[in-house]
Amino acid sequence: MKLTGVEIRTIEVPLVAPFRTSFGTETVRRAVLVRAVTDDSEGWGECGAGTGPFYSAEYADAATDVLERFLVPMVAAVDDLDAHRVAPALESVRGHRMAKAALETAVLDADLRARGISFGYALGAIRDSVACGVSVGITASIPALLDAVAGYLADGYLRIKLKIEPGWDVEPVRAVRERFGDILLQVDANTAYRRSDARHLAQLDPFDLLLLEQPLPEDDLLGHAELAGVVQTPICLDESIVSAATAADAIALGACSIVNIKPGRVGGYLEARRIHDVCAANGIPVWCGGMLETGLGRAANLALAALPGFTLPGDTSASERYYRTDLTEPFVLDAGHLTVPTGPGLGVSPLPDVLDEVTVERRWLPV
Ligand code: SMG
Ligand code: MG
């Protein structure tokens, strides 16, 4: 495959409602899209990094910079390029996994489109549709939270995830459990707690949560292992798992019993599949996380979520949960499920008018 150029676009798309987590509130998603153009096709990759460096060190404008100055030139120098050669070519660049993932995804999409193979088939998907959950941000009050959850349950979501932080944990969880009974319920702290909060977090035990996601800082694997000995709720790691190697270490250490797999966070779909395999070999259930992706990233996430080890509903929600107008044809929930695209590559493409409308910056890098 011969790369002829790479386009890097920055887009800004308003969210249907502000999304508040322990690290801030998003009202508009600023994101980077990569379009890899080859001699006989083109492919798209969406970068998961948000506006600021608050979920992790990465952010959209840094991704643009590292792509333009380092990643694209390094990949442009690869002979006989294919997606499996992208990560090795970028190995000398520290971090920037979301930027690397976007570029690898674009190359993989271009290759698969040219060969008429879907993402799902290439990754090893075994399902035509995937069970979907929804991530509910921190709200101004408990009544507002109950209204939001009621709306999502009415939409058909099969699992509810509540964002928590110190001061917004036991009471909102109690309120949701009391009001909605026996639903699949889990929480995500985005690193907002410290080791000394173990006893406090054990107060979530009576609510029979599916999991407690990333309570402690991303580099604190040992802390998570100790916490797992104090709380009964299963610990799930998100931010801490940046590779198949860290997944293997976290499992060996007893730092988690469930893993949230986000392809961007781990450098791409190929590494994401390796994490799936490591977890499957260890009997660790996985589920697909989300970074408020547009339809482009969502299509690829659905393909991944259709692999056999993805046994829990993911943060793979319908287009309308995020955007009034998605970048692709909208993904619509059907009895709590989204259909895995089957067309070549991602199986979806940006709608040209929508894409132009949300683009705030555009660079063409000839190869
Ligand atoms: O895409 O539905 C989605 C968002 C899911 O909660 C979600 N993501 O830590 O898991 C997580 C967060 C990180 C993104 S917050 C902008
Ligand atoms: Mg998370």
Side-chain angles (χ1 to χ4, degrees), residues 23-157:
F23 58 82
T25 304
E26 297 262 354
T27 53
V28 174
R29 180 159 138 80
R30 182 175 172 90
V32 174
L33 302 179
V34 176
R35 181 169 65 102
V37 182
T38 71
D39 34 17
D40 59 355
S41 110
E42 66 172 36
W44 291 90
E46 176 171 347
C47 180
T51 310
F54 306 119
Y55 164 80
S56 71
E58 291 190 78
Y59 60 100
D61 291 354
T64 300
D65 187 69
V66 77
L67 278 159
E68 180 172 8
R69 294 172 61 197
F70 300 100
L71 307 184
V72 170
M74 287 164 119
V75 163
V78 176
D79 289 330
D80 286 332
L81 180 65
D82 70 42
H84 297 280
R85 294 185 174 165
V86 172
L90 303 178
E91 212 178 347
S92 59
V93 174
R94 312 283 179 212
H96 295 285
R97 289 183 175 86
M98 292 183 186
K100 291 174 176 175
L103 183 53
E104 184 193 84
T105 304
V107 170
L108 180 56
D109 185 32
D111 194 6
L112 294 176
R113 282 183 204 253
R115 294 197 277 144
I117 297 169
S118 72
F119 246 72
Y121 187 79
L123 294 174
I126 57 150
R127 285 185 272 269
D128 301 331
S129 70
V130 302
C132 298
V134 60
S135 175
V136 187
I138 294 166
T139 53
S141 66
I142 286 182
L145 178 68
L146 295 176
D147 284 349
V149 172
Y152 289 129
L153 290 173
D155 290 341
Y157 285 104

Side-chain angles (χ1 to χ4, degrees), residues 225-250:
E226 289 174 5
L227 182 62
V230 178
V231 305
Q232 274 162 25
T233 308
I235 305 288
C236 170
L237 290 177
D238 172 358
E239 285 90 331
S240 293
I241 306 296
V242 296
S243 62
T246 52
D249 286 356

Side-chain angles (χ1 to χ4, degrees), residues 55 161 163 188 190 213-214 238-239 260 262 287:
Y55 164 80
K161 164 167 132 178
K163 290 290 189 180
D188 183 5
N190 288 109
E213 182 177 345
Q214 196 70 44
D238 172 358
E239 285 90 331
N260 165 337
K262 283 179 186 163
W287 54 282

